[in-house]
Amino acid sequence: MKKDVRSLSLKDLCSFFESNNYPSYIGKQVHHWLWKKSSFSFDEMTNISLELRDFLKNKFVINHIKIDKIQKSNDGTIKNAVKLFDNLLVESVLIPTEKRTTACISSQVGCSLDCDFCATSKLKRIRNLNPDEIFDQVSTINLQSKLYFNRPISNIVFMGMGEPLLNYNNLILGIEKITSKEGLGISPKRITVSTSGISKLIVRMADENVKFNLAISLHSAIEKTRNKIMPFSIKFPLNELKEAVKYWYNKTRKKVTYEYIVWNGINDNLKHIKALIEFCKASPSKVNLIQYNNTENPFFSSASEKKIQEYIFELEENKIPVTIRKSRGKDIDAACGQLANREIN
Ligand code: SAH
């Protein structure tokens, strides 16, 4: 099988050309086509001689993602079914609002976690996405945003399929390309990685001094409840998570955001509110209340508006910033937790 040319770094590319008796600056030109222009094929590389393009075609492939299907929601949200080189599918979503256009990106095919309220968890994890597949989703959605909304994307969230931190190396490499001048040059301040809370890897990111934002899917600050709705979290206890978040803040000085859904009969009581407040007070943080999007699990339904208002009231009383994330793209199964490679007609 031919190697994907994008697995070579700029340095690798330059030395490849040198060792094949070509000037090393060609490496830079090819790198520019691959990352700045997001080329699908060597034929696009018009400042490279035809002979050299043939030589490259014989040696390498470019496994660029392809959009297999596009679905548009009544609220403007666009869901893309993205086909990978091995025919597997993931989904990425473009979410336009008045002030922002956000790209919601997948990090794995399926997911190895078992959050009971999330449709992706039913797909099981098939494989990790490569750095270039992560990059391609962003560059593709960026073009789409310019095409449909006349503006580039303003934000990127890793809240699509998969657990980004369980694909750590590729995630970091993908983000490097997204943020670097040779790539898309998007500021890391506009990127948020959402994790279900894998403490060890939160500590690692803090040590590596990453510049993007961190969101943690908390959903309950009571261990017993969290273990029930997110069974894998038995291996990732809340006290360790709390320590990891403190460590993160001390190193990066960035507040984490806790993502939190309030469900009927699960966490819609004062005991849960108090536990959340206590958890938040451990280190500077904010809470993002997410509207629950229905999946097929009858165990979960959104709490009443009154209960959600109680959360907001108590959090604000305790000076913890709280925002509400409205659901977008629900009619096409493009909202949080609904990505399951399904098509709604
Ligand atoms: N694995 C990562 C990122 C993917 S999920 C994580 O767990 O954070 C992105 C967000 O959507 C998470 O906060 C997740 O808890 C939330 N989510 C999952 N299912 C949902 C649903 N049915 N309705 C609303 N949000 C959901």
Side-chain angles (χ1 to χ4, degrees):
M1 221 164 76
K2 289 186 212 167
K3 201 168 177 177
D4 187 332
V5 66
R6 291 186 300 170
S7 62
L8 275 65
S9 67
L10 175 59
K11 216 171 129 213
D12 297 339
L13 277 171
C14 293
S15 34
F16 167 80
F17 286 108
E18 258 178 40
S19 59
N20 283 284
N21 300 321
Y22 290 100
S24 78
Y25 72 82
I26 297 185
K28 269 195 187 159
Q29 292 178 321
V30 170
H31 192 267
H32 186 84
W33 282 108
L34 292 174
W35 298 104
K36 197 82 201 168
K37 303 221 180 237
S38 209
S39 295
F40 278 70
S41 78
F42 294 108
D43 291 327
E44 290 171 43
M45 304 184 180
T46 44
N47 59 353
I48 311 283
S49 73
L50 278 174
E51 176 225 324
L52 185 48
R53 279 185 242 163
D54 280 339
F55 174 70
L56 290 172
K57 275 186 231 168
N58 284 327
K59 286 250 180 249
F60 300 109
V61 286
I62 303 175
N63 285 328
H64 205 290
I65 62 161
K66 295 192 179 69
I67 296 186
D68 196 44
K69 269 192 197 101
I70 297 184
Q71 284 181 272
K72 295 193 186 121
S73 156
N74 297 331
D75 65 21
T77 300
I78 297 178
K79 180 169 87 167
N80 297 290
V82 166
K83 196 174 252 178
L84 309 173
F85 72 94
D86 49 5
N87 286 330
L88 292 172
L89 290 172
V90 291
E91 292 176 334
S92 20
V93 186
L94 170 61
I95 309 154
T97 61
E98 219 173 279
K99 293 199 184 121
R100 299 170 163 206
T101 36
T102 303
C104 178
I105 304 300
S106 293
S107 53
Q108 298 180 309
V109 184
C111 189
S112 58
L113 303 180
D114 50 10
C115 306
D116 228 4
F117 47 84
C118 176
T120 310
S121 75
K122 311 294 174 244
L123 293 180
K124 305 292 172 235
R125 174 190 164 283
I126 301 176
R127 72 165 171 88
N128 285 337
L129 294 189
N130 296 324
D132 49 273
E133 291 169 329
I134 291 173
F135 176 89
D136 285 351
Q137 291 178 71
V138 177
S139 69
T140 305
I141 292 220
N142 196 35
L143 288 177
Q144 208 168 46
S145 177
K146 289 180 195 164
L147 182 70
Y148 289 104
F149 305 108
N150 285 318
R151 53 188 189 191
I153 51 169
S154 59
N155 297 77
I156 300 168
V157 294
F158 282 88
M159 297 185 187
M161 292 173 155
E163 167 52 45
L165 297 195
L166 292 181
N167 183 13
Y168 190 90
N169 293 335
N170 293 351
L171 173 80
I172 299 292
L173 285 171
I175 293 180
E176 253 168 48
K177 288 288 186 213
I178 292 163
T179 53
S180 82
K181 287 218 173 61
E182 287 79 43
L184 293 170
I186 295 174
S187 164
K189 289 188 195 140
R190 300 190 167 276
I191 301 177
T192 301
V193 170
S194 175
T195 173
S196 57
I198 300 170
S199 316
K200 257 196 324 215
L201 295 170
I202 293 173
V203 169
R204 179 166 170 198
M205 284 194 294
D207 281 336
E208 290 176 2
N209 207 6
V210 300
K211 300 284 182 234
F212 48 77
N213 303 298
L214 180 63
I216 297 175
S217 303
L218 189 62
H219 303 312
S220 172
I222 294 180
E223 196 96 72
K224 207 172 147 210
T225 309
R226 196 164 193 265
N227 290 170
K228 185 144 200 278
I229 58 178
M230 302 162 82
F232 71 89
S233 68
I234 293 177
K235 287 194 238 128
F236 305 102
L238 281 173
N239 58 347
E240 279 176 21
L241 182 58
K242 202 191 260 179
E243 289 311 309
V245 172
K246 277 192 206 161
Y247 190 83
W248 162 271
Y249 183 77
N250 288 335
K251 284 255 168 176
T252 65
R253 296 282 138 188
K254 274 176 175 298
K255 281 185 185 182
V256 297
T257 301
Y258 294 119
E259 296 164 281
Y260 201 98
I261 306 173
V262 190
W263 288 286
N264 184 22
I266 294 177
N267 57 1
D268 58 348
N269 56 41
L270 205 55
K271 202 172 121 206
H272 269 92
I273 300 180
K274 292 246 147 77
L276 174 62
I277 290 169
E278 161 124 19
F279 200 89
C280 289
K281 283 188 172 166
S283 74
S285 54
K286 9 182 199 184
V287 173
N288 191 198
L289 292 178
I290 310 181
Q291 269 183 2
Y292 177 61
N293 302 310
N294 274 323
T295 60
E296 274 154 18
N297 192 332
F299 184 68
F300 295 94
S301 61
S302 177
S304 66
E305 191 49 38
K306 188 165 159 273
K307 301 274 179 173
I308 295 171
Q309 288 305 325
E310 251 175 69
Y311 259 93
I312 297 173
F313 178 80
E314 294 291 339
L315 286 164
E316 284 178 344
E317 280 284 286
N318 284 276
K319 312 250 174 321
I320 298 161
V322 52
T323 47
I324 300 182
R325 189 195 303 159
K326 291 219 179 85
S327 227
R328 309 269 308 177
K330 246 187 193 173
D331 53 337
I332 53 164
D333 267 359
C336 280
Q338 292 188 318
L339 301 184
N341 292 338
R342 253 189 325 217
E343 199 183 335
I344 309 274
N345 293 309

